[in-house]
């Protein structure tokens, strides 16, 4: 399989980070600070988990770059960069909802989703003991089992997952859009962890996922996992997935969902 060595490092580092996050959760978690808004929180465990990941990667891959949610970017010389969300789903984590993840991807090129090329991805949900992996061209896996996107359905039968930004003005727009979308689909899920939303499309646990306003670390790993499972993942139109939009679904369903989103004002 291509990129086996990188995948092995990604899996080891993500698994160790997930164990630390789970341990800290069991000891009790409090808000350590806020970021873009009063509801955009960070815990000490987010910071500690990212520090562990950064230290392990510096040892295993000293020439690679690093780009993490909590501690920022550092250029490398190898052309590869590790994109890290130490705890995706921080609000779930804070409340003890067992649906959060450590998300790590290795990308080639500039650490910018508009142009990077993802090679390897690993997303671990410690509370569910689930590990999703993918390598480009090598398929996507949940544990040891290959996963595939669900067969295409009509939009009216589609279970659609989404997420909301931390900014209240944007939330008002997103709420209005959901009110128009809900009558047109099977149902809506807002599970609170973008990386796992993408993994859910990959494993057929939902039919489609879309979100606006995501940061690179939220979707770097999940996009590769969803694509390797057969999903189409794009931004608006032909654009690559990014802050403006991430839309993932079976290729036949993705175009219908995109059309509907356009009609209701996305
Ligand atoms: C958030 C989650 C959430 C999504 C937000 C993200 P965080 O990441 O992935 O599901 O709706 O847009 O910011 O803050 O928990 O790492
Ligand atoms: Ca995140």
């Amino acid at each position: 399989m291509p990129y086996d060595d990188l995948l092995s490092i990604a899996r080891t580092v993500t698994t160790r980070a997930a164990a630390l996050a789970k341990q800290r959760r069991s000891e009790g978690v409090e808000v350590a600070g806020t970021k873009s808004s009063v509801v955009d929180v960070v815990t000490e465990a987010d910071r500690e988990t990212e520090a562990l990941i950064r230290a392990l990667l510096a040892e295993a891959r000293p020439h690679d770059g690093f780009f993490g949610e909590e501690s920022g970017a550092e250029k490398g010389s190898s052309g590869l960069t590790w994109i890290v969300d130490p705890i995706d789903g921080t609000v779930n984590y804070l409340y003890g909802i067992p649906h959060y993840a450590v998300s790590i991807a290795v990308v080639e090129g500039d650490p910018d989703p508009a142009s990077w090329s993802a090679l390897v991805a690993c997303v671990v949900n410690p509370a569910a003991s689930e590990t999703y992996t993918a390598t480009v061209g090598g398929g996507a896996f949940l544990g040891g089992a290959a996963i595939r996107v669900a067969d295409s359905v009509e939009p009216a039968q589609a279970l659609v997952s989404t997420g909301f930004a931390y900014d209240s003005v944007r939330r008002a727009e997103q709420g209005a859009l959901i009110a128009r979308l809900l009558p047109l689909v099977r149902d809506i899920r807002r599970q609170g962890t973008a990386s796992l939303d993408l993994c859910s499309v990959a494993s057929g646990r939902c039919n489609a996922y879309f979100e606006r306003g995501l940061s690179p670390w939220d979707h770097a790993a999940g996009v590769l996992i969803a694509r390797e499972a057969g999903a189409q993942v794009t931004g608006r139109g032909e654009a690559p997935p990014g802050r403006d939009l991430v839309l993932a679904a079976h290729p036949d369903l993705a175009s219908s969902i995109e059309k509907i989103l356009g009609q209701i004002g996305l």
Side-chain angles (χ1 to χ4, degrees), residues 69 85-90 101 103 166 192-195 214-215 217-219:
E69 174 164 16
D85 195 338
I87 299 179
D88 189 24
T90 298
S103 171
Y166 289 119
T193 306
S195 56
L214 287 181
S215 296
W217 46 80
D218 296 317
H219 63 81

Side-chain angles (χ1 to χ4, degrees), residues 176-232:
L177 190 90
I178 290 300
R180 296 192 285 273
L181 181 62
L182 188 52
L184 305 177
V185 297
R186 179 189 295 276
D187 209 342
I188 299 283
R189 293 288 180 271
R190 194 291 192 248
Q191 303 202 75
T193 306
S195 56
L196 292 176
D197 288 325
L198 286 157
C199 291
S200 291
V201 172
S203 60
R205 289 180 184 172
C206 75
N207 298 106
Y209 164 67
F210 75 96
E211 184 162 350
R212 299 194 69 196
L214 287 181
S215 296
W217 46 80
D218 296 317
H219 63 81
V223 166
L224 180 62
I225 292 166
R227 280 185 176 150
E228 286 297 323
Q232 177 177 304

Side-chain angles (χ1 to χ4, degrees), residues 57 60 120 141 149 194 207 228 233 235:
L57 290 177
V120 165
F141 295 83
V149 67
N207 298 106
E228 286 297 323
V233 192

Side-chain angles (χ1 to χ4, degrees), residues 4 16 35 45 59 63 66 71 78 89 97 102 104 109 128 143 148 153 157 160 171 176-177 187 194 212-213 216 224:
D4 251 355
R16 281 192 59 182
K35 298 189 281 187
E59 203 182 319
H63 304 298
F66 182 91
S71 62
S78 66
I97 297 169
V102 180
I104 296 185
R148 288 302 291 170
V153 291
Q157 269 88 53
V160 180
R171 278 176 177 226
L177 190 90
D187 209 342
R212 299 194 69 196
L224 180 62

Side-chain angles (χ1 to χ4, degrees), residues 228-247:
E228 286 297 323
Q232 177 177 304
V233 192
T234 60
R236 209 180 279 272
E238 303 288 298
R243 197 172 289 279
D244 181 48
L245 179 67
V246 175
L247 170 59

